[in-house]
Amino acid sequence: MTMTRVSEAGMFVAGARARSERTYPVTDPYSGCDVASVPIAAAAQIDQALDAAVDGAARMAVLPAHERAAALERAASFADRRVETIARLISSEQGKNARGGDTRGQESGGG
């Protein structure tokens, strides 16, 4: 079984695209093939991300519930538009074969 690289993941730090000198492979345990690579953040990038998370939590805490809900709906919609890609990557990194083009087991009744 041959598997091609699914993606080279990007990295966002504090809402901006960031670069990394190092990456870590995501490997299909069944085939041993790399299916993706993810960036490894530098210590300064981790600090920046944590600062942004604390700031973001403070901003979200003062928003009315309906605005927080709307933000979550936008995030869910973003993920829904990419469900096949996300499911394919998750399946491949677990060594599972997505059959029939439908990788959404929760929607198709599979498991």
Side-chain angles (χ1 to χ4, degrees):
M1 176 179 157
T2 58
M3 175 127 357
T4 58
R5 179 177 295 275
V6 173
S7 68
E8 179 121 354
M11 179 170 66
F12 284 83
V13 176
R17 199 172 278 281
R19 297 184 55 90
S20 175
E21 297 298 318
R22 298 177 18 202
T23 61
Y24 186 83
V26 177
T27 304
D28 175 338
Y30 175 74
S31 70
C33 294
D34 290 350
V35 295
S37 65
V38 294
I40 299 173
Q45 291 170 315
I46 294 169
D47 288 342
Q48 185 181 9
L50 290 171
D51 290 344
V54 169
D55 180 57
R59 289 180 186 203
M60 290 298 281
V62 299
L63 285 180
H66 71 278
E67 289 184 32
R68 291 192 308 269
L72 290 173
E73 287 292 332
R74 288 190 301 274
S77 177
F78 180 85
D80 284 347
R81 290 191 305 271
R82 290 155 183 81
V83 71
E84 286 299 325
T85 300
I86 293 166
R88 194 176 317 108
L89 178 58
I90 290 170
S91 292
S92 64
E93 72 185 10
Q94 294 176 350
K96 296 180 180 181
N97 185 14
R99 293 192 172 97
D102 184 9
T103 52
R104 299 167 295 164
Q106 78 281 359
E107 291 183 18
S108 64

